[in-house]
């Protein structure tokens, strides 16, 4: 059964990744670039609020996704400020902050929020662990990808093809959880 899900985001890269991921689950994505208010709070709060807002605006079921890079040695910065920090400090600024830092543990987190006009939002968290490289590598992907070396690899996300990143990324894990849940819900 092919189902169509409206994905609300302004980020084309996310759409490209999500389309590749959903193919495996027989879900088709309809991309809608509808802005929604990003409230102060953690990823879960932002995803819940955004999904509820968009479902009521569009009068139908929607998903939104909120993600970020969390660096342990920086007290989990930039975290929920990832988007702003990427535009202002950039990857070069992050590398400067990490200059003498030995513990380079970091994780990407992604939260998918699903909501219909008649229900409360459901959320699905995906994380991937890794560490921060000493310089940028690769030009695949977007934003922090050239900085992030996933655990078990010696390459950054920026050096991996999107199809490879899509096999195990934070976004793959949150969207997979959502897709499995949706399949389960629609079984009867
Ligand atoms: P958003 O608020 O969910 O759109 O994402 C916050 C920011 O996190 C994005 O603007 C990117 O800077 C960063 N980000 C989220 N996911 C990824 C990813 O998969 N790779 C690299 N950067 C990401």
């Amino acid at each position: 059964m092919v189902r169509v899900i409206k994905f609300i985001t302004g980020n084309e890269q996310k759409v490209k990744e999500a389309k590749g991921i959903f193919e495996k689950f027989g879900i088709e994505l309809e991309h809608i670039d509808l802005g929604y208010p990003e409230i102060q709070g953690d990823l879960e709060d932002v995803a819940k609020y955004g999904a509820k807002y968009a479902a009521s605006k569009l009068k139908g079921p929607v998903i939104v996704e909120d993600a970020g890079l969390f660096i342990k040695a920086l007290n989990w910065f930039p975290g929920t400020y990832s988007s702003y920090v990427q535009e202002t400090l950039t990857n070069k600024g992050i590398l400067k902050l990490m200059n003498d830092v030995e513990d380079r543990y970091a994780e990407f987190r992604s939260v998918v929020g699903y909501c219909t006009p008649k229900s409360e939002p459901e959320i699905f968290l995906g994380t991937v662990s890794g560490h921060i490289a000493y310089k940028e590598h690769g030009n695949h992907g977007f934003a922090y990808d050239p900085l992030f070396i996933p655990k078990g690899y010696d390459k950054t996300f920026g050096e991996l093809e999107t199809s490879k990143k899509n096999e195990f990324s934070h976004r793959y894990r949150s969207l997979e959880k959502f897709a499995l849940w949706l399949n389960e819900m629609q079984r009867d």
Side-chain angles (χ1 to χ4, degrees):
M1 173 171 57
V2 177
R3 283 139 306 154
V4 182
I5 290 284
K6 289 188 168 72
F7 183 27
I8 317 301
T9 179
N11 184 330
E12 290 289 344
Q13 292 289 331
K14 285 187 178 184
V15 176
K16 184 178 164 202
E17 290 184 14
K19 279 193 170 156
I21 293 165
F22 272 165
E23 268 172 17
K24 294 178 195 163
F25 299 98
I27 299 174
E28 222 173 85
L29 261 197
E30 183 186 340
H31 174 209
I32 300 196
D33 188 354
L34 166 85
Y36 57 88
E38 286 216 4
I39 57 162
Q40 283 288 319
D42 55 24
L43 298 182
E44 284 81 359
D45 296 334
V46 175
K48 273 187 198 163
Y49 186 88
K52 200 169 166 78
Y53 174 90
S56 106
K57 267 243 138 139
L58 297 173
K59 301 183 174 41
V62 298
I63 57 168
V64 302
E65 190 241 3
D66 201 45
L69 176 69
F70 294 74
I71 303 175
K72 187 174 170 207
L74 302 181
N75 237 329
W76 308 111
F77 180 82
T80 51
Y81 304 106
S82 291
S83 178
Y84 178 71
V85 168
Q86 177 59 217
E87 279 163 27
T88 51
L89 201 60
T90 74
N91 286 348
K92 301 256 179 311
I94 294 283
L95 285 173
K96 249 189 210 155
L97 291 177
M98 296 290 289
N99 225 354
D100 296 319
V101 177
E102 256 176 50
D103 177 2
R104 306 186 74 84
Y105 179 86
E107 55 192 46
F108 268 122
R109 297 181 199 155
S110 157
V111 175
V112 169
Y114 169 81
C115 197
T116 75
K118 287 188 188 145
S119 65
E120 285 305 304
E122 300 277 345
I123 48 170
F124 307 87
L125 168 71
T127 62
V128 61
S129 324
H131 62 277
I132 301 298
Y134 285 89
K135 58 184 192 119
E136 293 179 78
H137 294 279
N139 43 26
H140 291 291
F142 65 104
Y144 300 103
D145 281 342
L147 289 187
F148 184 79
I149 302 176
K151 196 171 167 204
Y153 284 76
D154 56 4
K155 284 183 174 157
T156 65
F157 267 167
E159 293 173 289
L160 299 182
E161 297 286 342
T162 302
S163 56
K164 187 74 199 164
K165 178 182 173 190
N166 272 352
E167 285 174 13
F168 65 99
S169 71
H170 49 311
R171 187 156 298 111
Y172 172 77
R173 289 174 176 161
S174 59
L175 289 172
E176 179 193 38
K177 273 191 195 166
F178 162 69
L180 294 175
W181 174 85
L182 191 68
N183 281 344
E184 203 51 42
M185 291 285 291
Q186 296 186 336
R187 227 175 18 182
D188 340 285

